[in-house]
Amino acid sequence: MKRYILIALLFGTISCQNKSAQNSTAQVDSIANQDFDKNPIGEAAGCKWIKENVEQFFNNENGSNNKMQALTTPEYYEFKMDAINTGLSMDSSLTEFELNQKWKSKFDVATAGVGSGFLISGQDWKKIEVSSCELLDENAEQINLKVLISDCEFQTDYHRDIKLILQNNQIKIADIKEYD
C-alpha cells in the first residue's frame, strides 16, 4: 500500500511541476505576442526617415521624379503620377472619373492631391521642413503617421497622413492622404 501511495505522490508532484512549467511558458508567449501587431519600422524610425527624406527631396534634390520613385512603392508611384497628370492635355492623362475607376479599390482618390505635386500642393517652395510627426496607428504590415510639412518662408503648412511599409528591407511610402 505504501508503494501505491508513494507512486501516486510521485506522479502528482511530476504533473504539478509540468503544469507550472506550462503556465510560465504561456505567460512568456502572451508577453511576446503583445508586440505581434506592431510594425518593425516603429514611430521613431519612421518619423526620422520621413524628416530626412522629405527635407532632402525638396531642399537638396529639387523634387526629381527619380527620387520620388525611390521613396515610394511602385504602385503608389504609378498612382501619384496618374493623379498629378489628371486633367492635363496629354495623351497619357486620365480624367478624374478614369482615375477613380482605375485606383478606387486601392487608394482614396479624394485625398490623393489630384493635379498637385508629390507631398506638397504648392508648385513653388523655399525651405521645406517636417514640423511634426506622430503615430496614427500601426500593425505588422504598415505604420501610419500624421505629418505636418511646412514651408517656413512662404508660411504654408501641408497636413499629410503618410503610410510607410518595409519593402525589400527598405522603408517606402505606400500612400499619402493630403488634406490641403
Side-chain angles (χ1 to χ4, degrees):
M1 181 76 165
K2 288 183 184 180
R3 192 181 274 175
Y4 291 120
I5 293 174
L6 188 57
I7 292 173
L9 285 174
L10 183 62
F11 282 123
T13 305
I14 292 171
S15 67
C16 288
Q17 288 174 352
N18 285 340
K19 188 171 186 172
S20 66
Q22 288 172 350
N23 284 345
S24 66
T25 303
Q27 289 172 351
V28 170
D29 288 345
S30 67
I31 290 170
N33 287 335
Q34 288 175 353
D35 290 335
F36 180 72
D37 61 342
K38 293 193 176 172
N39 191 282
I41 298 170
E43 180 181 6
C47 286
K48 180 181 178 198
W49 185 88
I50 284 177
K51 181 169 180 53
E52 289 173 358
N53 285 282
V54 167
E55 290 176 3
Q56 182 181 31
F57 179 81
F58 287 102
N59 300 323
N60 298 338
E61 301 290 329
N62 294 321
S64 71
N65 281 346
N66 290 339
K67 182 66 175 172
M68 176 185 160
Q69 196 169 13
L71 295 175
T72 61
T73 63
E75 187 173 51
Y76 181 74
Y77 177 78
E78 182 182 346
F79 167 68
K80 186 57 183 178
M81 292 306 294
D82 282 350
I84 289 170
N85 295 323
T86 294
L88 298 179
S89 45
M90 297 172 26
D91 290 338
S92 62
S93 294
L94 302 174
T95 66
E96 221 167 311
F97 177 79
E98 292 169 328
L99 179 72
N100 193 43
Q101 291 300 307
K102 182 176 179 180
W103 293 106
K104 69 181 175 185
S105 66
K106 298 186 183 210
F107 297 101
D108 182 5
V109 175
T111 58
V114 174
S116 67
F118 177 60
L119 291 164
I120 66 171
S121 53
Q123 291 183 354
D124 296 317
W125 64 87
K126 289 285 185 178
K127 186 171 188 324
I128 298 294
E129 293 179 359
V130 174
S131 301
S132 68
C133 179
E134 60 188 60
L135 180 68
L136 287 173
D137 61 69
E138 66 182 327
N139 60 39
E141 290 83 36
Q142 65 191 31
I143 184 167
N144 293 302
L145 300 165
K146 182 178 183 174
V147 178
L148 180 64
I149 301 170
S150 302
D151 187 333
C152 299
E153 290 187 38
F154 282 151
Q155 297 179 344
T156 307
D157 290 328
Y158 304 97
H159 298 85
R160 305 290 184 255
D161 292 348
I162 301 176
K163 179 192 300 184
L164 299 177
I165 64 167
L166 270 181
Q167 191 174 67
N168 299 323
N169 291 323
Q170 294 181 328
I171 298 174
K172 298 286 186 173
I173 295 172
D175 194 9
I176 301 172
K177 295 190 183 310
E178 302 181 25
Y179 299 108
D180 45 28

